[in-house]
Amino acid sequence: MRNILVTGASGGLGGAVVQVFEASGDRVIGISHPAYDLTRPEECARAVASIDGPAHALIHLMGGFAGGQPVAETEDGTWRRMMAMNLDAAFYMARAAVPRLLEQPGGRIVMIGSRNAVRPAANLAAYNASKAGLVALVQTLALEVAAGGATANVVLPSVIDTAANRAAMPTADPGRWVPPAAIAELIVWLASPAAAQINGAVVPIYGRS
Ligand SMILES: NC(=O)c1ccc[n+]([C@@H]2O[C@H](COP(=O)([O-])OP(=O)(O)OC[C@H]3O[C@@H](n4cnc5c(N)ncnc54)[C@H](OP(=O)(O)O)[C@@H]3O)[C@@H](O)[C@H]2O)c1
């Protein structure tokens, strides 16, 4: 049984990811907020230390969304919050987890970016830039962990069909969005032995939106 560390496990995507890993026979260590504040490096180290036994995968789903103003009107707080939630936490988690993941071959890192990382939208500079930084982080990790038999890949959803998105966009057609289960299946495959040759991939999953 593999030990899979999942951040953001309580989020709109997290439930589906936990379910598919568990259905595959893996043991999920779900890191929940506010028990852990992953914008803080010591909390990320504590999260990794909570894994009892070997660490086989880091699945970093945690992230946040804010914006709505052009750059000239974006407040410091919005910029810093997006960097803290989407980039700092990913860096702190990776830094803490990599030594454990390299203790045995086959370690896996999968992180969640966003389509905005490669196709920025106006009025979302902080979100766009933080997710673009996440992609660069994962591609760097891929280069660094390859020799240890590990991989690092990043998945870029468009809009996920979550309860929060349905509430925020009541007139949109959720049938065009990406079901959480579809993203979960992709993540679980990237974390599987079958994906051993896939490293540094930036994988779009856009549905029809
Ligand atoms: N939803 C979309 O349409 C969409 C599109 C593209 C990319 N994404 C990305 O996909 C990922 C998952 O999205 P989602 O819709 O599932 O997001 P979500 O529902 O907002 O879930 C985010 C998760 O991160 C946790 N979290 C937030 N701040 C934290 C902190 N400081 N320390 C520890 N955990 C923290 C949340 O816990 P609490 O709820 O307890 O705060 C929650 O479990 C995110 O990285 C997001 O940016 C989402």
Side-chain angles (χ1 to χ4, degrees):
M1 182 184 285
R2 299 184 310 162
N3 291 321
I4 313 290
L5 188 70
V6 178
T7 70
S10 64
L13 176 60
V17 170
V18 170
Q19 193 176 14
V20 179
F21 271 113
E22 289 184 341
S24 308
D26 293 315
R27 175 169 168 258
V28 172
I29 299 100
I31 298 302
S32 59
H33 187 220
Y36 292 90
D37 177 1
L38 301 182
T39 63
R40 300 174 55 178
E42 68 277 13
E43 297 274 294
C44 294
R46 189 165 66 86
V48 171
S50 75
I51 304 169
D52 188 14
H56 297 100
L58 165 64
I59 311 300
H60 184 67
L61 309 180
M62 181 214 152
F65 180 83
Q69 299 80 35
V71 169
E73 295 165 25
T74 296
E75 295 180 354
D76 289 0
T78 302
W79 181 264
R80 299 211 179 288
R81 187 150 67 91
M82 288 297 91
M83 290 298 161
M85 293 182 76
N86 292 330
L87 189 53
D88 294 359
F91 165 65
Y92 297 143
M93 282 306 303
R95 186 173 65 180
V98 162
R100 293 285 301 277
L101 294 171
L102 293 180
E103 285 174 1
Q104 62 284 311
R108 294 282 185 273
I109 298 169
V110 183
M111 295 199 174
I112 305 299
S114 163
R115 179 171 63 186
N116 289 53
V118 294
R119 199 192 298 176
N123 302 325
L124 290 173
Y127 180 74
N128 298 337
S130 63
K131 290 294 192 180
L134 178 86
V135 169
L137 171 69
V138 174
Q139 291 180 311
T140 306
L141 285 164
L143 298 170
E144 294 176 357
V145 302
T151 66
N153 296 291
V154 58
V155 171
L156 308 185
S158 53
V159 183
I160 307 174
D161 184 6
T162 62
N165 278 338
R166 286 189 184 222
M169 296 176 269
T171 59
D173 174 9
R176 302 182 73 86
W177 298 344
V178 188
I183 302 173
E185 294 284 355
L186 173 61
I187 291 170
V188 171
W189 182 77
L190 286 169
S192 75
Q197 304 305 318
I198 312 294
N199 190 26
V202 181
V203 186
I205 182 162
Y206 294 167
R208 294 187 298 119
S209 59

